[in-house]
Amino acid sequence: MSLLQIEDLHAGYGAADIVHGVDLTVDEGEVVVLLGANGAGKTTTMRAISGLIARHGSLRFDGTDISRAAPDEIVRLGLAQVPQGRGTIADLTVEENLRAGAHVRRDKQGIAEDITRWFDTYPRLAERRKQQAGLLSGGEQQMLAISRAMMSRPRLLLCDEPSLGLSPKLTQEMFASLSRINHEMRMAILLVEQNATLALGIADRGYLIEVGHVGASRSAADLAGDDAIRAAYLGY
Amino acid sequence: MALPITVHEGTMPHRGIRLGRVALVVAVVLALPYVVAPYRLDQVTGALILAIAAVGLNLLSGFGGQISLGHAAFFGFGAYTTGILVTDHGWYPPVAFVLGMLVCFVVGVLVGVPALRLRGMYLALVTLAVGVIFPSLVRRFDSLTGGSAGLFGISFDAPDHAYFAGRAGQILWLYYVAVVALAVSCLLVWNIMRGRTGRAIVALRDNEPAAIVMGVDRTVVRTVLFGISAAIAGLAGGLFAVDTGILTPDSFSLLFTIYLLVAMVLGGRASFWGPIIGGFVIYYLPLWTGELTDGPAAGVLFGILIIVMVFTLREGVVGGLGRLGARVLVVEPRRPTPRFDLSEAPPVSADQGIEPAACQPRQETAAGAPLAD
């Protein structure tokens, strides 16, 4: 059984569905990438999974039906998201952001340990622990957003375009970082990304989403070699 | 000595400065009754009451980012609940304050429900409606509230003690009651804001989607925040009732809410001292301008002063003081926690010595080597 199993997902804002009939699965320890052009429904799918927007269809996380669950219940079940754009709280300090990421947890000892762990992983964050997150550079903010999401000790991490607004060098570092989280913690990751080459470089499988529909799952290598994929991306 | 002086966070000098600041406030509070005339102390009590209401509004609007144009109504609910219970039912005022706060909490939560769907101007309009309706409600239920004629004879008599004897003693008593109420309100706000709930409140204000995917329950946080903010305003209202002794619906007009908003912004929103300082500024400024000139000119001067303050102190009085303070004193943040966390080490028996493994950097077990360089 897959960790995340979605069948016939419909979601959108208000009257119009943007996503109509998405099926996808993510297994334990797997990196799955969701590719597609602007407006194809990638972010909508991610928001629907986390319960940020109204959705219907079959959504199961580790066997539990989450199609009617509230966002905080979904986080408690072990599904964390790095939302698109700024995933940090600008007015909280770096450390407070990490603590806020552990909002659903009550184990003080474990939270303190995890904060140390993420400060060790990203020493730049440790140096700035008392600074407001809004004062960090774009790259540091994204590191903080990922650590913040990991603070809830998820079993599946959703990342919505983590490379948005980052320099190519920082984007590479960020992907290396995600890959490391996947390998060393056996963390399952569902990734939405515009940068297909890099994303497929760390992914096991991928889906192509087009105007609210998703095709069959294909291996990352297969997708990377597909000219049509590049076309879908670049939009010509 | 060259300025600014640098102290390190958590060191003795830093703790000393923080302790000194608290000691200074306590000293001023205790010394004030001996330095100023009773009628001046009475004014301070009035300013304290305004400050409490501003502390309540600041929790909602400053920290929570939700605007309310209806806080005069919560202030009024607290005042009338206390007034009616004390005069008609002979309740002991502190018990009436608590009930007034409960009433305000419930009304606040109810008003907070539309705040889940509305924001900005739309929320402002809903809360404005609450604020506008309140004086009419008071007039409508005049058998209970005394209507436009007013509710009289509300008092909180000082304990029978020589220290609180006479009219001056009564003023002194109410001053201490207001000080305690302000301290309680501030502790409440401070306790909420420094912990888990406070982070959730700021997160919701700052980046709602991110807060929700962190697992913050928006419904609970937003409505309860509204309720607590209203309850604090209600406490201020209860004090206002016993301080003035007379309640008329005109005291709870929109103008009062505007004063609170100005107090919050002038003092420095989303800060702990801001609304208190703002409360004092907004209480004393009209008194001073009124002493300087008469009639309409006083109002004009008051308005001009507010405009000047908003322009010169963009982050409020507290922000301005903070900048000034930074020229004198800089607090260096504590260094990050050491990488070697010995508390993690497995227990070692005396003859065994320390295993090398116990001293390994934590990142060996964490998500990998440093990345963000």
Side-chain angles (χ1 to χ4, degrees), chain B residues 206-225:
Chain B
D206 214 39
N207 191 343
E208 189 173 298
I212 294 171
V213 297
M214 283 175 203
V216 173
D217 190 332
R218 195 179 66 123
T219 312
V220 171
V221 171
R222 284 254 159 92
T223 51
V224 170
L225 185 67

Side-chain angles (χ1 to χ4, degrees), chain A residues 47 50 52 71-72 75-76 81 83 86-92 96 99-101 103-106 109 113 116-118 120-124 126-127 129-130 143 148 169 173 177 180-181 184-185, chain B residues 9 193-194 196-200 202-217 221 333-339 341 343-344 361-363 365-373:
Chain A
R47 297 179 128 232
S50 277
L52 272 169
D72 59 304
V75 178
R76 267 174 243 273
Q81 176 160 175
R86 194 161 59 86
T88 53
I89 311 301
D91 283 344
L92 291 181
E96 285 170 336
R99 290 193 182 280
H103 185 80
V104 296
R105 291 169 60 187
R106 296 286 190 174
Q109 181 69 37
E113 282 170 24
T116 313
R117 159 189 288 196
W118 292 105
D120 285 347
T121 311
Y122 302 122
R124 287 288 285 270
E127 287 164 25
R129 61 187 280 222
K130 293 276 178 180
M143 302 301 172
R148 198 225 74 223
K169 181 172 173 285
E173 276 180 22
S177 175
R180 193 166 276 153
I181 289 170
E184 291 175 16
M185 304 176 76
Chain B
E9 188 196 350
M193 290 314 300
R194 75 185 176 133
R196 177 174 176 271
T197 313
R199 288 190 292 270
V202 174
L204 272 178
R205 176 192 74 195
D206 214 39
N207 191 343
E208 189 173 298
I212 294 171
V213 297
M214 283 175 203
V216 173
D217 190 332
V221 171
R334 204 175 310 193
R335 304 185 70 79
T337 34
R339 302 278 167 74
D341 193 348
S343 65
E344 285 285 288
R362 297 222 30 190
Q363 64 197 32
T365 55
L371 292 164
D373 287 324

Side-chain angles (χ1 to χ4, degrees), chain B residues 22-23 28 116 165 253 335:
Chain B
V22 175
V28 168
L116 295 172
S253 64
R335 304 185 70 79

Side-chain angles (χ1 to χ4, degrees), chain B residues 6 27 38 68 76-77 85 122 127 142 171 231 236 239 290 328 332 335 349 353 368:
Chain B
T6 306
S68 167
F77 271 114
L85 289 174
Y122 299 96
T127 56
D142 54 353
I171 287 172
L239 286 168
V328 182
E332 188 105 314
R335 304 185 70 79
S349 60

Side-chain angles (χ1 to χ4, degrees), chain B residues 116 167 204 226 293 305-306 359:
Chain B
L116 295 172
R167 165 129 179 79
L204 272 178
F226 228 109
T293 58
L305 279 174
I306 285 182
C359 303

Side-chain angles (χ1 to χ4, degrees), chain B:
Chain B
M1 187 188 279
L3 292 174
I5 304 163
T6 306
V7 296
H8 292 275
E9 188 196 350
T11 57
M12 280 302 282
H14 179 236
R15 272 185 233 162
I17 287 164
R18 287 177 61 166
L19 207 67
R21 219 160 40 189
V22 175
L24 183 71
V25 171
V26 172
V28 168
V29 164
L30 291 178
L32 208 58
Y34 299 98
V35 221
V36 302
Y39 84 96
R40 285 284 181 199
L41 195 64
D42 198 25
Q43 289 178 346
V44 173
T45 306
L48 286 170
I49 291 169
L50 205 57
I52 296 168
V55 164
L57 182 64
N58 184 47
L59 177 63
L60 179 74
S61 300
F63 290 114
Q66 287 174 283
I67 196 155
S68 167
L69 295 180
H71 259 54
F74 300 124
F75 187 75
F77 271 114
Y80 273 97
T81 307
T82 299
I84 292 163
L85 289 174
V86 170
T87 54
D88 292 356
H89 305 276
W91 282 41
Y92 184 54
V95 184
F97 295 160
V98 173
L99 197 81
M101 289 175 78
L102 282 176
V103 168
C104 288
F105 180 81
V106 172
V107 178
V109 167
L110 292 178
V111 176
V113 171
L116 295 172
R117 298 195 147 258
L118 305 173
R119 65 196 56 201
M121 287 305 219
Y122 299 96
L123 178 59
L125 284 181
V126 170
T127 56
L128 176 64
V130 176
V132 169
I133 287 167
F134 183 75
S136 310
L137 276 180
V138 171
R139 292 194 185 92
R140 169 68 185 77
F141 296 99
D142 54 353
S143 58
L144 194 64
T145 63
S148 300
L151 188 67
F152 296 91
I154 313 147
S155 66
F156 184 10
D157 292 334
D160 200 6
H161 188 280
Y163 189 66
F164 295 117
R167 165 129 179 79
Q170 177 65 22
I171 287 172
L172 186 61
W173 167 246
L174 286 178
Y175 165 75
Y176 281 128
V177 171
V179 165
V180 169
L182 178 60
V184 168
S185 312
C186 289
L187 278 177
L188 180 64
V189 170
W190 189 68
N191 251 308
I192 293 170
M193 290 314 300
R194 75 185 176 133
R196 177 174 176 271
T197 313
R199 288 190 292 270
I201 289 166
V202 174
L204 272 178
R205 176 192 74 195
D206 214 39
N207 191 343
E208 189 173 298
I212 294 171
V213 297
M214 283 175 203
V216 173
D217 190 332
R218 195 179 66 123
T219 312
V220 171
V221 171
R222 284 254 159 92
T223 51
V224 170
L225 185 67
F226 228 109
I228 294 173
S229 171
I232 296 174
L235 174 63
L239 286 168
F240 178 79
V242 296
D243 186 42
T244 58
I246 309 161
L247 297 178
T248 57
D250 298 328
S251 306
F252 310 99
S253 64
L254 183 61
L255 189 66
F256 182 78
T257 304
I258 306 281
Y259 267 45
L260 289 184
L261 282 170
V262 174
M264 182 184 77
V265 175
L266 274 188
R269 52 177 280 281
S271 74
F272 290 96
W273 288 101
I276 301 172
I277 293 171
F280 272 81
V281 169
I282 212 69
Y283 185 86
Y284 276 105
L285 218 49
L287 287 182
W288 283 331
T289 58
E291 281 170 16
L292 284 174
T293 58
D294 282 336
V300 173
L301 190 61
F302 175 52
I304 289 171
L305 279 174
I306 285 182
I307 293 170
V308 168
M309 287 180 80
V310 168
F311 268 95
T312 51
L313 300 164
R314 294 298 284 271
E315 296 150 80
V317 177
V318 165
L321 287 176
R323 271 202 303 275
L324 205 66
R327 290 195 197 162
V328 182
L329 182 81
V330 172
V331 177
E332 188 105 314
R334 204 175 310 193
R335 304 185 70 79
T337 34
R339 302 278 167 74
F340 300 90
D341 193 348
L342 290 176
S343 65
E344 285 285 288
V348 181
S349 60
D351 58 332
Q352 206 179 356
I354 294 172
E355 294 275 333
C359 303
Q360 286 298 304
R362 297 222 30 190
Q363 64 197 32
E364 288 283 302
T365 55
L371 292 164
D373 287 324

